[in-house]
Structures are given as C-alpha cells and as structure tokens.
C-alpha cells in the first residue's frame, strides 16, 4: 500500500509539473495549425472507438 501511494504521488507531481511548465513556456498555437490538427483528430477518435468496439465484441 505505501508503494501505491508513493507511485500515485509521483504521477500527480509529474503531471502538475508538466502543466505548470506548459502554461509558463508553451507558445500559443495559431489557428491554422489547430485547424490542421482538428481535421485529423475527429476521424482518429472515431477509428479508435470502432476498433475498441471490434476488440470488445470479437
């Protein structure tokens, strides 16, 4: 049990550090780049859902 709590604490600390550094040093994304990413993101999420359903039922 102490190992689990230590692991969760380390994961939480790592995520908090990434969020802090991302907010502080990340450059804001331009709208053109976000449109390109959005164009690919929705079909990939749909594909992953279909593949998950196939894996579950087969």
């Amino acid at each position: 049990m102490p190992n689990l709590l230590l692991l969760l604490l380390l994961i939480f600390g790592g995520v908090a550090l990434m969020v802090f550094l991302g907010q502080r040093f990340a450059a804001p994304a331009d709208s053109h780049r976000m449109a390109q990413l959005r164009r690919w993101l929705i079909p990939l999420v749909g594909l992953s859902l279909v593949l998950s359903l196939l894996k579950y039922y087969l």
Side-chain angles (χ1 to χ4, degrees):
M1 186 70 170
N3 289 336
L4 177 63
L5 293 177
L6 180 63
L7 182 64
L8 288 173
L9 181 66
L10 289 174
I11 290 172
F12 178 75
V15 170
L17 182 65
M18 286 189 297
V19 168
F20 175 74
L21 292 175
Q23 287 178 350
R24 184 159 182 140
F25 296 112
D30 60 336
S31 60
H32 179 66
R33 179 71 177 146
M34 293 304 290
Q36 285 179 336
L37 291 175
R38 191 176 301 121
R39 188 180 122 212
W40 286 98
L41 185 66
I42 294 173
L44 287 176
V45 169
L47 180 64
S48 69
L49 287 172
V50 169
L51 290 175
S52 296
L53 284 172
L54 287 175
K55 183 180 175 184
Y56 181 76
Y57 286 113
L58 296 180

